Amino acid sequence: MTLEMKILVTGGAGFIGSHLAESLLKDRHMVTIIDDLSTGRMENISGFAHNKNLSVYIDTILNENLMRKLISKSDFIYHLAAAVGVKYVIENPLRSIQANVRGAEIVLELADELSKRNHKKKVLLASTSEVYGKNKRIPFKEDDDRVMGPTTISRWSYSCAKALDEFFALAYYKEKGLPVIIVRLFNTCGPRQVGDYGMVIPRFIDQAISNKPVTVYSDGKQTRSFLYVGDAIGAMKLLSSHPKAIGEIFNIGSPERVTIKELAKRIINLVKSKSKIQHIPYEEVYRNHFEDMRHRLPDTNKIKNLTGFKPNYNLDDILKEMISERRTKCH
Ligand code: UDP
């Protein structure tokens, strides 16, 4: 990206947003963060909050007047503010739909309205691998079908809300020429991530460090792949400056697949913990509001072919770094 752009990061005090904002500041951009601290934390930005090129607004992206002011001053918007985390979405279904649908609509609407004819504001929309739903065919390619469960299962509202955001973004691109890039983030992890909203790795690490049972849901044979947050940021930045990324959707994730039970064992070993694995049926955790996707794996050829992107961190590197962070923070 050209030097010294004015960049707005919505959700900039969140786990991924804070890493992105910090990295953009290192690249000498002028960065503005808006975050309502629903899942974000001031602690995430405390290490760089003093930076003179950073402005922070603690407010909701649904505050249209403020968003108008912030977007009018920005060249580029990374729209990361969203209600994420399976547990959060299930416990706050209304708030999560509103933030995810109306929030993206406000960002796109204002970016379009406040753009100049020959100087359009660019938007990178963070979407999610949840949009694929419970499609059984892995790895997922960007143009694969979405397979949804019933509307009585709150989990699927997140998938549908983010899919609607994607439709919105593509419509603004096709009809209005707004330059948008859509990224579907697969499981992303690293320092600053917390387990409060369901994320499995920080939960297992905290359980292992305190020698409590490591709670593997179901039989633990479900699989995921985990990308280091720094690699995810690298991928987003590569796409942001690539002209051929505009109007396109990209998976961002790791190809290294692991079962959740294997993940639990690896964490117990790396922590040298006395914890035992405890299997818990899904019904006990989420009552009847839940369906899991058994397997989730990205096909990352599209981003690789366009930008040469590949992850630098493998799962053990990530786990070691997260374990050392959690040890210093929590114990
Ligand atoms: N999981 C688990 N124990 C936990 C939290 C999560 O076994 O304490 C499982 C969860 O059922 C899923 C996987 O770990 O199969 C990843 O869960 P997470 O919520 O981190 O992300 P998801 O991929 O489901 O969005």
Side-chain angles (χ1 to χ4, degrees):
M1 235 185 290
T2 43
L3 271 189
E4 291 186 27
M5 285 183 76
K6 295 189 188 95
I7 301 178
L8 175 64
V9 181
T10 72
F15 157 55
I16 300 179
S18 65
H19 283 283
L20 175 66
E22 187 174 15
S23 169
L24 293 169
L25 286 166
K26 283 198 185 120
D27 296 341
R28 300 185 172 280
H29 296 299
M30 307 282 292
V31 177
T32 300
I33 283 175
I34 178 164
D35 199 302
D36 68 357
L37 302 184
S38 51
T39 57
R41 296 176 306 150
M42 286 309 279
E43 198 189 321
N44 288 343
I45 59 172
S46 57
F48 56 94
H50 59 277
N51 192 308
K52 65 177 183 358
N53 291 335
L54 176 71
S55 313
V56 179
Y57 292 81
I58 303 305
D59 209 321
T60 165
I61 52 167
L62 303 181
N63 178 345
E64 281 190 55
N65 286 336
L66 177 60
M67 288 298 280
R68 176 173 289 278
K69 181 175 131 190
L70 301 185
I71 290 178
S72 70
K73 289 193 297 195
S74 311
D75 309 304
F76 196 112
I77 301 117
Y78 285 94
H79 180 46
L80 269 65
V84 289
V86 173
K87 190 165 177 284
Y88 185 87
V89 170
I90 290 174
E91 287 170 3
N92 305 276
L94 193 55
R95 215 208 273 186
S96 125
I97 295 168
Q98 283 164 343
N100 292 337
V101 178
R102 184 68 193 129
E105 189 184 9
I106 288 172
V107 166
L108 291 162
E109 203 171 274
L110 291 172
D112 174 58
E113 187 191 319
L114 300 168
S115 275
K116 299 206 173 63
R117 192 188 287 266
N118 50 5
H119 185 72
K120 300 252 183 198
K121 296 178 190 295
K122 215 164 164 182
V123 179
L124 181 138
L125 174 87
S127 183
T128 166
S129 56
E130 286 270 331
V131 298
Y132 294 105
K134 48 185 178 175
N135 191 337
K136 292 206 170 71
R137 266 196 19 223
I138 53 163
F140 298 147
K141 276 180 75 138
E142 287 82 353
D143 50 7
D144 278 347
D145 286 342
R146 308 178 50 238
V147 182
M148 288 297 104
T151 50
T152 43
I153 306 276
S154 302
R155 176 185 195 134
W156 302 121
S157 74
Y158 180 55
S159 175
C160 292
K162 293 307 282 187
L164 191 60
D165 292 353
E166 293 192 11
F167 278 123
F168 254 139
L170 292 173
Y172 269 102
Y173 169 66
K174 286 176 195 157
E175 262 188 68
K176 311 264 194 174
L178 186 73
V180 299
I181 301 165
I182 297 166
V183 296
R184 288 186 184 151
L185 295 168
F186 282 65
N187 297 67
T188 304
C189 55
R192 298 182 196 155
Q193 190 176 36
V194 290
D196 310 2
Y197 313 110
M199 280 64 173
V200 66
I201 294 186
R203 291 172 64 84
F204 282 4
I205 291 177
D206 287 354
Q207 291 165 340
I209 290 177
S210 48
N211 293 308
K212 292 197 178 121
V214 172
T215 56
V216 171
Y217 299 159
S218 181
D219 60 6
K221 289 186 184 151
Q222 68 271 38
T223 60
R224 294 291 186 275
S225 71
F226 297 91
L227 184 71
Y228 182 62
V229 64
D231 284 325
I233 302 301
M236 285 193 257
K237 284 181 14 184
L238 281 171
L239 292 171
S240 302
S241 56
H242 202 300
K244 291 200 173 139
I246 291 172
E248 297 286 338
I249 300 175
F250 297 89
N251 287 338
I252 296 183
S254 159
E256 189 186 344
R257 196 170 156 216
V258 64
T259 67
I260 295 303
K261 186 150 185 184
E262 167 64 21
L263 177 72
K265 285 187 195 157
R266 276 211 221 176
I267 290 174
I268 291 171
N269 282 339
L270 286 169
V271 170
K272 299 195 175 54
S273 164
K274 296 192 186 69
S275 294
K276 297 268 176 295
I277 288 177
Q278 180 189 7
H279 288 275
I280 306 183
Y282 288 129
E283 306 81 72
E284 234 170 78
V285 191
Y286 295 116
R287 281 166 291 142
N288 291 329
H289 302 294
F290 190 70
E291 276 184 302
D292 202 12
M293 54 258 315
R294 296 297 289 169
H295 303 290
R296 173 187 279 164
L297 184 72
D299 179 324
T300 52
N301 282 315
K302 189 168 172 187
I303 184 169
K304 196 160 91 195
N305 292 340
L306 188 71
T307 67
F309 170 76
K310 70 174 180 23
N312 290 315
Y313 274 58
N314 66 28
L315 183 58
D316 275 350
D317 299 331
I318 304 173
L319 294 179
K320 282 178 198 157
E321 188 169 324
M322 288 179 74
I323 288 167
S324 93
E325 189 219 18
R326 303 300 295 171
R327 275 215 164 102
T328 52
K329 286 241 166 90
C330 313
H331 302 273

